[in-house]
């Protein structure tokens, strides 16, 4: 099994309405936000399709 490349990590956090994502190495950088329904749809899509990550 291939080990993950931990140099390409993101951090996530959630509020009542939004899931926020950022580069773990750039705390002051841009954040990408998803509504909770949009995040759930993205996770379901990846789960269903097995969409590969960048290291695949």
């Amino acid at each position: 099994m291939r080990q993950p490349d931990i140099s390409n990590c993101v951090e996530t956090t959630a509020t009542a309405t939004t899931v926020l994502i950022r580069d773990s190495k750039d705390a002051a950088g841009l954040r990408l936000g998803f509504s909770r329904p949009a995040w759930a749809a993205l996770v379901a899509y990846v789960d269903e399709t097995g969409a590969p990550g960048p290291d695949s």
Side-chain angles (χ1 to χ4, degrees):
M1 179 177 199
R2 193 167 142 190
Q3 294 296 316
D5 179 0
I6 61 171
S7 67
N8 292 322
C9 295
V10 295
E11 295 176 346
T12 60
T13 191
T15 69
T17 59
T18 307
V19 176
L20 299 170
I21 303 168
R22 72 172 186 194
D23 183 334
S24 64
K25 296 171 293 306
D26 187 6
L30 298 175
R31 290 185 170 92
L32 176 62
F34 290 90
S35 69
R36 284 185 173 255
W39 180 253
L42 175 63
V43 170
Y45 172 78
V46 170
D47 186 48
E48 290 172 13
T49 64
D55 294 330
S56 296

